[in-house]
Amino acid sequence: MYETNDDVVVRADLPGVDHKDIEVTLTDNALIIKGESKYEKEIEDKNIYRRERSYGQFARTLPISRKVRSDQARAGFMNGMLEVVIHKAAEAKEKTYKLDIH
């Protein structure tokens, strides 16, 4: 999770998770990522038979300390990487003022 001047950006590595198994919820003060990992791989080699399984649900809640524009947030998922971009509200953007020295 990091900030730019205009956005709060969250990136999460979710290898082996299908985008249909991910739920992203944004509240006034938190981003909630829930999902389910379903992985099954079978390998047959000569006299050896091996089966691997990995299943499980996960949930992460990330607090957001800035005021954000929830209605302008967007999420994308590609190659096992979830990226959520949340626009900051105008009053949350850092303002810089140059002061005159007298």
Side-chain angles (χ1 to χ4, degrees), residues 2 4-5 10 14 24 26 30 35 39 48 53 57-58 60 71 73 79 83-84 88 96 101-102:
Y2 63 92
T4 66
N5 286 338
V10 176
L14 303 173
V24 179
L26 181 60
Y39 174 76
I48 300 171
R53 291 183 181 183
Q57 294 181 342
F58 60 88
R60 298 290 183 272
D71 60 330
N79 298 327
E83 182 177 75
V84 181
K88 292 180 187 176
T96 304
I101 301 172
H102 298 280

Side-chain angles (χ1 to χ4, degrees), residues 37-98:
S37 176
K38 301 174 187 175
Y39 174 76
E40 188 170 319
K41 183 176 181 180
E42 294 184 15
I43 299 173
E44 291 186 49
D45 186 39
K46 297 184 182 182
N47 295 331
I48 300 171
Y49 181 78
R50 182 174 75 194
R51 184 176 201 161
E52 296 180 12
R53 291 183 181 183
S54 176
Y55 294 95
Q57 294 181 342
F58 60 88
R60 298 290 183 272
T61 301
L62 304 167
I64 298 175
S65 58
R66 300 277 189 182
K67 291 190 180 232
V68 294
R69 300 278 319 251
S70 300
D71 60 330
Q72 293 182 1
R74 67 183 190 279
F77 188 74
M78 182 182 285
N79 298 327
M81 170 72 73
L82 173 68
E83 182 177 75
V84 181
V85 179
I86 309 161
H87 296 293
K88 292 180 187 176
E91 62 271 14
K93 293 182 184 177
E94 189 172 313
K95 296 176 183 162
T96 304
Y97 299 97
K98 185 174 180 180

